[in-house]
Amino acid sequence: MEARNKTIESWFSMVEQGHVVLPRFQRHEAWGRGQIAGLLENIVRKPALPMGTLLVLEIGDEEPFHSRPIVGAPPPTGGKPMMHLLDGQQRMTALWRSLTDNYEDLTLFISLESAADTNSPDEQGDSDEPEVVPVKRWDRKGVLQPVWADDPAQQFERGCFPAAVLCPGSRGEKALKAWMASVGESGADINAYLPRLYELRGRVANYTIPFLALGAETGRETALDVFIRMNTSASPLKDFDIVVAQLEEATGQSLHEMLDELLEEAPQAKAYGKVEDIVLSVAALLMGRPPLKKTYLEKSFGKGLRGVWPDVQRGFSRGLAFLHREAMFNERCLPTDVAVYLTCALWARAPEQGFDAEGNARTLIRKALWRACYTDRYGKTSATRAYADFSRLADALRDENGSPECDLFDEEIYPLADVSQLVSAGWPGRKDRLPRAILATTLRAGGVDFADGDGIGPENISRREYHHLYPVAVLGGDRSDAFVNRALNCALISWRTNRKVAAKTPAEYIQARAEAADLGDDEVRQRLESHLVPYNELIAGDYDAFVKARAVLVESHMRDLCAGRNPRVAA
């Protein structure tokens, strides 16, 4: 390993020519506006502050890893990359994008305050620390806001100039001349600031960035080992990042590309949280290992992931479709995170086009899913417990006559919630298992909107809001009151319908809906019952009696679901 230095101007020249690239296993951008501005301030100040040492892998005849350009840099034009940037991606990306004005939602400016003072910092007796100002950008009807951030004259009036004029080389020189010309056309006198602007350009261009270089003879495994060690100390890698590197080393394939293909086939996966984490958990179960960090750090995990990838894809496709049918449409509806990865892993092992065998698998998986939601089996050490249960359940899926004896199905150790527990369950807007299980159960019954008559589904759930069936004002409580905020006092309805309800009593609101609906009382009753809302108890005005009656309905559906059955519909 050799230590060297290059100026920003030299680094930028190499980036522009495609000589410095990122290995595909590198994580994506993670820095915020404050970190980006802070890096630039370290560079433009005098004396400058170090930005840290980069780590690169020199490239011989062939690239050892799949690569991609630094974000915002031009794609390679045919020239062969000379270096893979192993450590320092966030710094180099922030530097490149801020000085080339490449962010869609951010522009960096530097204050002109005291910029006309040509005295050196030493003569002043103080350090020279120009202020870097990050300005957030956003689109409004096709116009990027704030408008002044694209107008040099207004920038000058505000006492700042764009950081892009400090970009080394001809790119920055052109940007500076264009900015000066535009400011000059407004009638402002910029001459007094020119020495300062060119001085700052020189500081940026000549700023030295040290780097350590691994020679081209360094093996792939050694390079990855160094990468992982360096990135798990100062700036910890995510589990997914490590597996990306392992897979690249073991098979030469990009997990990022594999994940993109998965999301093309199952885009609904994004609705359930961090897809990367779900993928690792499903893969671990299919490989016969618990979904833990210890598992992901094993060197064999990356190669093993490639082996089970077709099963992962099949599990996602079938499992997410099943979750939709069970009214768990997104992360907001999930009683437990285990529900997603356990379900997907089980569907990867379920028979396909197996007629009765597939029907039996559906029953078994439904039972496992809902018991995971209605018991505290996965409250603690969920990963190891999910692994133990999956192993038994997967064996049962392979054996049509098998009867799984897993702890998840043990009624004595993990009993279902009773009516009193259902009654006291809190508000499902919080990430709490039982309230969300109740909500999912009520949605599974249809979840038809009270006013527009539209059933619940993945296409409209994002437009639904939590609604108090007995409004807060009617009950005389407040929104922090547990008496009001119960899962059994909640229904998901459209935001328009929610606004119309306001503070009316249930009887008043239902009468208004019945008068507005062409089909009358019966239609409104059916819509309410599609949320497992007992119509008569709701309009009677006795809140306690209503909650208990709804708890009985939910309990009946819960027991059917946790037995793997479709709930019975009352006549």
Side-chain angles (χ1 to χ4, degrees), residues 165 229 269 382 541:
V165 307
R229 288 176 183 275
S382 58

Side-chain angles (χ1 to χ4, degrees), residues 79-310:
K80 186 174 70 68
M82 299 170 59
M83 294 178 177
H84 278 175
L85 184 59
L86 295 182
D87 187 57
Q89 178 210 176
Q90 301 296 335
R91 287 166 284 168
M92 187 59 75
T93 301
L95 195 56
W96 174 266
R97 298 194 75 181
S98 61
L99 290 176
T100 59
D101 192 22
N102 180 253
Y103 289 106
E104 295 84 3
D105 59 353
L106 177 68
T107 302
L108 281 296
F109 292 92
I110 298 175
S111 174
L112 277 165
E113 185 177 353
S114 302
D117 192 338
T118 56
N119 292 329
S120 70
D122 290 335
E123 291 172 347
Q124 297 175 29
D126 297 313
S127 62
D128 179 12
E129 302 178 12
E131 180 187 4
V132 176
V133 182
V135 175
K136 183 179 179 180
R137 311 299 303 276
W138 68 95
D139 181 87
R140 180 186 292 166
K141 297 181 179 180
V143 178
L144 201 58
Q145 305 293 320
V147 175
W148 70 263
D150 290 321
D151 184 340
Q154 292 189 56
Q155 295 165 9
F156 187 74
E157 286 178 8
R158 290 171 178 264
C160 62
F161 63 92
V165 307
L166 302 184
C167 183
S170 60
R171 183 194 295 258
E173 187 69 30
K174 291 178 182 177
L176 177 58
K177 288 181 178 179
W179 185 79
M180 290 166 50
S182 184
V183 173
E185 289 174 1
S186 71
D189 183 6
I190 198 173
N191 291 325
Y193 297 93
L194 295 185
R196 174 66 160 181
L197 291 170
Y198 279 106
E199 178 197 2
L200 292 177
R201 276 185 52 78
R203 289 186 193 178
V204 172
N206 296 315
Y207 181 91
T208 299
I209 303 175
F211 67 100
L212 297 174
L214 297 173
E217 71 282 357
T218 305
R220 287 161 49 93
E221 185 173 354
T222 300
L224 279 167
D225 187 56
V226 172
F227 166 75
I228 291 173
R229 288 176 183 275
M230 290 192 71
N231 280 277
T232 51
S233 54
S235 180
L237 285 170
K238 297 178 182 177
D239 298 339
F240 186 79
D241 298 318
I242 294 172
V243 177
V244 167
Q246 291 173 345
L247 183 69
E248 179 89 27
E249 192 278 328
T251 68
Q253 292 182 287
S254 168
L255 185 51
H256 289 296
E257 292 177 355
M258 292 163 59
L259 185 62
D260 289 342
E261 292 175 4
L262 175 71
L263 289 174
E264 285 183 12
E265 297 176 5
Q268 64 270 36
K270 295 178 182 177
Y272 292 94
K274 295 181 179 178
V275 181
E276 298 92 337
D277 294 341
I278 302 172
V279 163
L280 296 186
S281 296
V282 172
L285 292 179
L286 295 177
M287 291 163 61
R289 304 179 191 180
L292 297 166
K293 190 178 189 73
K294 180 180 178 182
T295 297
Y296 307 142
L297 289 176
E298 294 175 5
K299 289 189 176 182
S300 61
F301 186 81
K303 186 175 182 180
L305 172 60
R306 186 65 191 94
V308 300
W309 189 251

Side-chain angles (χ1 to χ4, degrees), residues 336-526:
T336 170
D337 294 339
V338 177
V340 180
Y341 68 78
L342 180 60
T343 298
C344 289
L346 288 171
W347 273 109
R349 292 286 182 256
E352 291 189 80
Q353 299 177 344
F355 299 101
D356 290 337
E358 187 170 346
N360 291 338
R362 187 177 303 278
T363 297
L364 180 65
I365 297 172
R366 179 179 294 120
K367 181 178 180 180
L369 169 64
W370 286 98
R371 285 195 64 84
C373 297
Y374 270 112
T375 70
D376 61 3
R377 166 66 174 163
Y378 300 126
K380 297 180 180 178
T381 61
S382 58
T384 53
R385 290 181 175 182
Y387 163 66
D389 292 339
F390 172 78
S391 300
R392 297 292 184 88
L393 293 168
D395 288 342
L397 290 172
R398 284 189 288 266
D399 182 0
E400 290 186 32
N401 299 315
S403 178
E405 296 179 0
C406 65
D407 288 343
L408 177 60
F409 294 167
D410 192 317
E411 293 276 0
E412 292 186 7
I413 303 176
Y414 301 108
L416 297 176
D418 58 26
V419 169
S420 65
Q421 290 172 315
L422 296 176
V423 166
S424 62
W427 195 247
R430 305 184 184 96
K431 194 171 184 179
D432 196 1
R433 177 185 55 79
L434 185 55
R436 288 194 174 187
I438 293 171
L439 177 65
T441 302
T442 62
L443 293 178
R444 195 184 186 280
V448 176
D449 187 72
F450 301 167
D452 64 30
D454 192 16
I456 194 71
E459 72 286 347
N460 64 14
I461 191 165
S462 63
R463 299 190 295 275
R464 293 287 183 101
E465 293 183 347
Y466 297 105
H467 163 65
H468 289 82
L469 292 164
Y470 272 76
V472 177
V474 170
L475 293 176
D478 58 50
R479 293 191 176 274
S480 63
D481 192 341
F483 176 72
V484 173
N485 292 314
R486 295 179 178 179
L488 292 171
N489 191 32
C490 179
L492 272 190
I493 59 177
S494 72
W495 66 270
R496 287 188 177 90
T497 303
N498 200 22
R499 299 299 182 276
K500 290 182 179 179
V501 174
K504 298 184 180 76
T505 66
E508 291 171 337
Y509 174 71
I510 289 169
Q511 182 180 358
R513 296 275 56 73
E515 292 172 354
D518 293 339
L519 300 180
D521 293 348
D522 287 344
E523 176 64 18
V524 175
R525 176 189 289 267
Q526 290 176 18

